[in-house]
Each structure stands twice: as C-alpha cells, then as structure tokens.
Amino acid sequence: QVQLVESGGGFVQPGGSLRLSCAASGGTVIIGDMGWYRQAPGKQRELVASITRGGSINSADSVKGRFAINRDNGENTIYLEMNSLKPEDTAVYYCHADVVTTDFLRYWGQGTQVTVSS
C-alpha cells in the first residue's frame, strides 16, 4: 500500500555534504513515523534519525550536530541533510515509513548508497 522512493545518495569527499530524500506514496493511508537507517558491510543496521508526524526527532549520537532530518508540509516526504561527512558514514541508507491501521506495518525503501572517501 505504501511505496517509498529514495534519492540523493552518491560519492562525496570527507567534510562534504549530501541531501537524501524519501517520498512516500500511500493514497489515503495515514503515515506515522518516518526515518532513516543505515547499514555498512559487516555491520548491524542502525538508526540514523527518525521523525514523527508531529515533528519530534530522534537521532543517533554519532550524527547529532552534523545531520538533520526534516519532513515536508504534507508529511509524506522526509529529507536527511548530511554535513561534515566522515568515512564512517559510508553505508546504504534506508528510508522507512510506518503505518498503523489494524496492525503495525513498516515499509522500507530500496536503499541509497552513500560513500565518503578521498
């Protein structure tokens, strides 16, 4: 019922910036929390940042002060502004969108690669 389209990944030098976007389409479905996870090869998937419909934000300590998550006025698109990128930020970034009807459902985007290297 919900499809997520991610964009904005790419290659960047340390200290550079990227902006990821994730657009959710779900018709009349009400989308709750949305956010970003990332996973590097050989590592566990970890939360980067999440945002509720009301705009409450939770983010990982490792990205605080460098990354910012925001949500558009229609609350169906989120963005991740990434600044001061470090090599350890290299990972596949996955967007998620949560829906609660009769049960909880979490939808995932296809992932977008972010590579930080000199």
Side-chain angles (χ1 to χ4, degrees), residues 2-8 20-25 31-39 45-51 69-71 75-80 92-98 105-114:
V2 175
Q3 294 180 323
L4 304 178
V5 179
E6 302 179 26
S7 63
L20 307 184
S21 65
C22 174
S25 60
I31 297 174
D33 296 356
M34 297 183 70
W36 297 92
Y37 282 72
R38 67 185 181 186
Q39 188 167 26
R45 182 174 296 189
E46 63 176 354
L47 173 71
V48 179
S50 63
I51 184 167
I69 187 171
N70 61 86
R71 191 163 182 164
E75 298 186 333
N76 63 355
T77 301
I78 59 169
Y79 305 90
L80 187 67
V92 178
Y93 285 69
Y94 297 92
C95 175
H96 78 82
D98 298 345
L105 294 173
R106 173 162 287 180
Y107 296 87
W108 292 93
Q110 79 283 359
T112 184
Q113 177 71 48
V114 172

Side-chain angles (χ1 to χ4, degrees), residues 6-75:
E6 302 179 26
S7 63
F11 300 87
V12 65
Q13 294 183 341
S17 299
L18 286 173
R19 184 179 188 241
L20 307 184
S21 65
C22 174
S25 60
T28 60
V29 174
I30 297 175
I31 297 174
D33 296 356
M34 297 183 70
W36 297 92
Y37 282 72
R38 67 185 181 186
Q39 188 167 26
K43 296 184 178 181
Q44 295 289 107
R45 182 174 296 189
E46 63 176 354
L47 173 71
V48 179
S50 63
I51 184 167
T52 70
R53 285 180 56 83
S56 296
I57 294 170
N58 185 31
S59 60
D61 289 342
S62 61
V63 306
K64 288 180 179 176
R66 299 189 299 118
F67 293 9
I69 187 171
N70 61 86
R71 191 163 182 164
D72 75 358
N73 291 334
E75 298 186 333

